[in-house]
Amino acid sequence: MVKAIVGANWGDEGKGKITDMLAETSDIIVRFQGGANAGHTIVNNYGKFALHTLPSGVFYDHTTSIIGNGVALNIPVLFNEIKSITDKGVPAPKILVSDRAQIVMPYHVLFDEYEEERLGKASFGSTKSGIAPFYSDKYAKIGFQVQELFDEEYLMKKLERVCETKNVLLEHLYHKPKLVPAELFETLMEYRKMVEPYVCDVSLYLWNAVKEGKNILLEGQLGSLKDPDHGIYPMVTSSSTLAAYGAIGAGLPPYEIKQVITVVKAYSSAVGAGAFVSEIFGDEADELRRRGGDGGEYGATTGRPRRMGWFDCVATKYGCRIQGTTDVAFTVLDVLGYLDKIPVCVGYEIDGKVTTDFPTTHLLEKAKPVLEVLDGWNCDIRGIRKYEELPENCRKYIEFVEGQIGFPITMVSNGPKREDIIYR
Ligand code: GDP
């Protein structure tokens, strides 16, 4: 059975924790999109880890971790990540990398930096991991698949061809040093050594795994609102963050995805630029940021402070719908225990009209939040394992959100650890 774990919002909803938890009963965990630009934070017996490329199942010895063809594969990052976890005493994980995954080239990272620098104030707030230049090249058909590393003659010719156009931009648009194909070739030979032990025909592997009845998790990165089609374009990421893309980015039949677990955080946070209707500022935001997540709401990749906001029912209802949600995992609820009153965004006012349907970007810029204020529960709910044992106001908060978004909350996460979970 194949399950997808995805985010409903701007990312950082706690997908890593839910994946790590569900990995216990899974055989295979697949990353199907995105790259080392975002990260999952996982806390377990071995310590606290920020994973950027590896799926969140690498801490079990019964699972196989897969980098699907849809991922932007940064080979040295992958290599160092494997090393960082084995250095901390985690047994060497079983890893497979799709032979069709494409490689983040050193110049993708450079172009990402140069372009953000050129845009100045109008920049996207990119993490400068090379993701946008990577996916641009993939769709411009000048990307490099892992399997191409094994044909040296072909590789060298292609590098020469690609560098020709890149160098025009480097010289005349960015005024930066030009690329040297022979140097890139040497780097790619290093990459080949690093990745060789893991290369696999992943879609065939998964096809057979499905036939054998294996449990497979597809792990998404970021969330619905960062999807290039359905998100807040252009302030989005460059690969689809939707469960549907899980089929493509892993190489599985779409009808095999039987469950879509959409992770929803009990309040909002976002990184990067773009409209964020329920955003809060000042001391109110600082306090939520400081108390948020596990050790504060700061980017897992960049360490930058996340933008904070109240729970947004409009964005989340939409985010869940576009994912094709079967189950909602409602996370980080424990953090709200300090509040007497908890505002929730239940509508957007746009040009004097209130809507609960998430609009396209140019209207979103004009939206003002319509807030409803719920009573807080004013206590620590960590350690509670049964739904009925949650304080009444806490249950009311969950049920209010569930009613507004229209998708069943079947899991409530009340702490960062695997066991901090309440099934409903
Ligand atoms: P992801 O990218 O969606 O996996 O999310 P992140 O890993 O960036 O952010 C989630 C953060 O919240 C991490 O630091 C987790 O350890 C933490 N976390 C996850 N679930 C919970 C929870 O229920 N309560 C608390 N307090 N922290 C949580």
Side-chain angles (χ1 to χ4, degrees), residues 7-9 224-227 229-232 242 262 312-325 348 356-360 404-407:
N9 303 105
S224 302
L225 305 178
K226 292 284 184 181
D227 183 74
D229 283 82
H230 296 282
I232 53 172
L242 303 182
T262 304
D312 185 335
C313 299
V314 179
T316 309
K317 178 175 81 163
Y318 174 74
C320 286
R321 171 165 67 80
I322 225 72
Q323 288 291 6
T325 302
Y348 289 176
T356 63
D357 290 321
F358 194 76
T360 51
Q404 294 283 319
I405 65 177
F407 292 91

Side-chain angles (χ1 to χ4, degrees), residues 129-144:
S129 314
I131 304 303
F134 166 91
Y135 282 107
S136 308
D137 280 2
K138 176 172 175 176
Y139 293 107
K141 298 172 284 188
I142 52 169
F144 290 82

Side-chain angles (χ1 to χ4, degrees), residues 165-179:
T165 56
K166 299 281 172 213
N167 280 339
V168 175
L169 288 173
L170 286 170
E171 187 175 1
H172 299 288
L173 181 65
Y174 298 115
H175 312 293
K176 299 282 183 187
K178 289 204 269 186
L179 302 173

